[in-house]
């Protein structure tokens, strides 16, 4: 009917709503937004405060609408049209927008934490690449760089030439500063490995050593930040009142992932609505007497991965015997492992939905053993 262009600024929203009301000719206005938590959050909040109905549409639905027909171009106007069509055809299935500050905070901190984890992985890889040149034999005495002892040693002695005048006793005293319970033979292992393998003297060794020290400093800083962010996430999870961590297999990060992507669970009248958001509820395809169900690829992929990750832990016999038996029963029925996993995920949706809705801790049911 009409295309409007507006700045993503609070001051521009009143004039925009006035234009929409004028064009609506007195009809009720319902808004559909693809993004209600980041760039579109301010607009969503303004519209809700103004008394409008606002629905949240997943970007996968927009992509589906855009792929229909012969025009596969992408532009802001075509995306807006796709969101409008999604709002019309999927209205009953779309959750109501509810951008609350606590969920935004969890989402932002979780993203920051995940970025830091990726950065630490990249730094470790770069550090390993340098140490291969400095200490080709370093895995003989330090298998990885996770321990404080390893990081402390390479920070103190980034290249083997720095160990030339160091005795076993002196090295042992240095190692104890990083870890008091370091094995007594560790200093001897290091010196013997370095001595037996030797090393190449290169120019600009001091400058190369600075790279090792810089990487380790960055690694230690990021790891301390990750610990701090985990504590903040624990606090915010408690603020929401959702006791998801009472489920075996859900840690701080997984609980935060669920909450960040689900938000206020009261947006969903039933668990099947949450299942559809997560892309776990199957899509029906019928023609005449033929009817088949297909996996749903349109859901929130981050939420879908979270349920899959939880399912992987729950189908272990020592973790959740009930879910293990349920998974095995689906296998015996002739389901493929991937299909059986979807059944487990769907049941976990019910559990997560119930815990979040009622805010009651999870109590794992006891598996009754049939008598012979």
């Amino acid at each position: 009917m009409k295309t409007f262009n507006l700045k993503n600024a609070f001051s521009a929203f009143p004039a925009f709503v006035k234009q929409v009301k004028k064009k609506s000719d007195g009809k009720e206005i319902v808004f559909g937004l693809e993004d209600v938590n980041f760039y579109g959050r301010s607009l969503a909040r303004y519209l809700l405060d103004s008394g409008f109905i606002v629905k949240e549409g997943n970007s996968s639905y927009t992509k589906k609408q855009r792929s229909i027909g012969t025009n596969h171009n992408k532009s802001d106007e075509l995306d807006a049209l796709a969101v409008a069509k999604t709002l019309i055809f999927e209205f009953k299935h779309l959750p109501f927008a509810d951008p609350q500050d606590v969920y935004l905070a969890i989402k932002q901190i979780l993203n920051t934490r995940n970025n830091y984890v990726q950065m630490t992985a990249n730094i470790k890889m770069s550090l390993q690449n340098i140490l291969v040149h400095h200490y080709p034999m370093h895995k003989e005495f330090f298998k990885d760089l996770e321990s404080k002892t390893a990081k402390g040693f390479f920070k103190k002695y980034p290249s083997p030439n720095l160990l030339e005048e160091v005795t076993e006793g002196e090295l042992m005293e240095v190692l104890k500063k990083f870890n008091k319970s370091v094995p007594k033979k560790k200093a001897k292992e290091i010196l013997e490995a370095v001595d037996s393998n030797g090393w190449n003297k290169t120019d600009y060794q001091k400058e190369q050593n600075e790279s090792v020290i810089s990487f380790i400093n960055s690694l230690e800083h990021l790891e301390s930040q990750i610990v701090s962010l985990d504590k903040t996430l624990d606090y915010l999870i408690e603020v929401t009142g959702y006791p998801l961590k009472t489920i075996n297999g859900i840690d701080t990060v997984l609980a935060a992932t669920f909450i960040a992507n689900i938000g206020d669970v009261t947006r969903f009248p039933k668990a099947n609505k949450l299942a559809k958001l997560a892309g776990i509820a199957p899509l029906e395809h019928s023609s005449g007497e033929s009817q088949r169900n297909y996996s749903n690829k349109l859901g929130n992929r981050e939420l879908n991965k979270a349920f899959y990750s939880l399912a992987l832990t729950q189908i272990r016999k020592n973790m959740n015997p009930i879910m293990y038996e349920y998974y095995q029963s689906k296998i015996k029925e002739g389901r493929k492992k991937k299909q059986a996993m979807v059944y487990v995920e769907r049941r976990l949706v019910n559990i997560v939905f119930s815990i979040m809705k009622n805010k009651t801790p999870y109590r794992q049911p006891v598996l009754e053993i049939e008598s012979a």
Side-chain angles (χ1 to χ4, degrees):
M1 291 174 64
K2 175 72 175 177
T3 301
F4 302 95
N5 292 301
L6 70 151
K7 289 174 62 178
N8 189 15
F10 193 84
S11 59
F13 299 155
F16 163 66
V17 170
K18 188 176 180 180
Q19 287 179 307
V20 174
K21 284 183 176 180
K22 185 177 179 180
K23 187 65 181 178
S24 68
D25 196 25
K27 295 184 178 69
E28 184 181 6
I29 303 168
V30 178
F31 289 90
L33 296 178
E34 186 180 271
D35 172 23
V36 299
N37 286 314
F38 289 95
Y39 295 114
R41 187 176 187 277
S42 296
L43 177 58
R45 190 71 270 164
Y46 176 81
L47 294 173
L48 288 168
D49 291 342
S50 300
F52 291 105
I53 294 174
V54 183
K55 287 275 193 166
E56 177 184 353
N58 192 279
S59 59
S60 55
Y61 285 103
T62 309
K63 185 178 179 181
K64 179 186 177 183
Q65 286 293 337
R66 195 168 56 242
S67 66
I68 298 173
T70 58
N71 185 1
H72 292 176
N73 294 329
K74 187 183 187 308
S75 66
D76 289 340
E77 187 170 345
L78 289 173
D79 281 348
L81 181 61
V83 174
K85 288 181 178 179
T86 300
L87 179 64
I88 294 170
F89 298 125
E90 301 287 342
F91 182 81
K92 291 183 179 180
H93 303 295
L94 298 178
F96 289 97
D98 187 21
Q100 295 185 29
D101 291 339
V102 65
Y103 305 125
L104 176 64
I106 291 174
K107 184 76 171 179
Q108 290 177 338
I109 293 170
L110 182 63
N111 286 342
T112 303
R113 183 200 183 276
N114 291 340
N115 287 334
Y116 284 177
V117 170
Q118 185 59 53
M119 289 167 66
T120 58
N122 293 336
I123 289 174
K124 286 178 183 177
M125 187 179 297
S126 299
L127 183 58
Q128 288 281 10
N129 292 337
I130 293 179
L131 291 178
V132 165
H133 298 285
H134 290 204
Y135 287 93
M137 79 306 290
H138 74 274
K139 288 194 175 181
E140 292 181 20
F141 45 88
F142 290 122
K143 292 182 180 180
D144 54 53
L145 299 173
E146 298 295 327
S147 69
K148 290 182 179 180
T149 310
K151 284 180 281 193
F153 169 79
F154 290 120
K155 191 174 177 179
K156 178 74 175 177
Y157 306 106
S159 58
N161 63 294
L162 298 175
L163 290 168
E164 283 186 297
E165 305 297 328
V166 178
T167 65
E168 182 181 327
E170 291 172 339
L171 180 57
M172 196 64 195
E173 288 300 315
V174 172
L175 296 178
K176 283 183 178 180
K177 293 179 180 178
F178 310 122
N179 181 8
K180 292 182 180 179
S181 59
V182 65
K184 294 180 180 180
K185 296 182 179 180
K186 182 58 67 177
K188 184 178 180 182
E189 287 178 7
I190 295 172
L191 293 176
E192 286 182 351
V194 171
D195 185 59
S196 62
N197 287 275
W199 69 89
N200 292 324
K201 292 184 178 181
T202 60
D203 294 331
Y204 307 106
Q205 187 64 59
K206 182 180 178 182
E207 288 74 15
Q208 294 179 57
N209 290 349
E210 287 180 3
S211 292
V212 175
I213 296 170
S214 177
F215 274 135
I216 294 175
N217 284 335
S218 298
L219 199 59
E220 290 175 337
H221 173 71
L222 287 171
E223 287 173 344
S224 67
Q225 289 297 303
I226 290 170
V227 171
S228 177
L229 290 172
D230 283 344
K231 291 179 180 178
T232 304
L233 284 174
D234 278 329
Y235 164 72
L236 292 174
I237 289 170
E238 288 185 14
V239 170
T240 65
Y242 296 143
L244 289 173
K245 291 178 69 176
T246 58
I247 301 177
N248 289 338
I250 294 187
D251 58 7
T252 297
V253 175
L254 194 54
T257 303
F258 279 124
I259 295 171
N261 289 280
I262 295 173
D264 186 356
V265 77
T266 59
R267 298 186 300 152
F268 307 94
K270 294 181 181 179
N272 62 341
K273 301 293 184 183
L274 176 57
K276 187 156 187 174
L277 175 69
I280 295 171
L283 295 176
E284 181 182 311
H285 181 82
S286 59
S287 177
E289 296 182 359
S290 173
Q291 180 175 328
R292 299 183 67 180
N293 290 330
Y294 294 90
S295 59
N296 185 355
K297 302 294 184 183
L298 299 177
N300 182 314
R301 304 321 296 168
E302 191 173 349
L303 189 57
N304 185 280
K305 289 178 182 178
F307 275 111
Y308 180 77
S309 176
L310 179 59
L312 283 176
T313 63
Q314 296 300 302
I315 60 173
R316 286 155 43 190
K317 191 173 183 178
N318 61 338
M319 180 67 75
N320 191 330
I322 296 286
M323 207 63 73
Y324 169 80
E325 291 294 331
Y326 180 68
Y327 174 73
Q328 294 298 327
S329 70
K330 293 301 175 184
I331 298 291
K332 291 175 183 177
E333 289 175 7
R335 310 284 181 184
K336 295 180 180 179
K337 290 184 177 180
K338 190 175 182 180
Q339 294 172 323
M341 282 291 287
V342 175
Y343 278 93
V344 174
E345 290 174 52
R346 182 63 185 84
R347 180 170 280 193
L348 289 172
V349 169
N350 291 343
I351 293 173
V352 169
F353 177 79
S354 178
I355 287 176
M356 292 181 70
K357 184 176 181 180
N358 300 312
K359 294 188 177 182
T360 54
Y362 176 67
R363 291 185 297 175
Q364 186 165 301
V366 179
L367 180 65
E368 295 182 6
I369 302 175
E370 294 183 6
S371 58

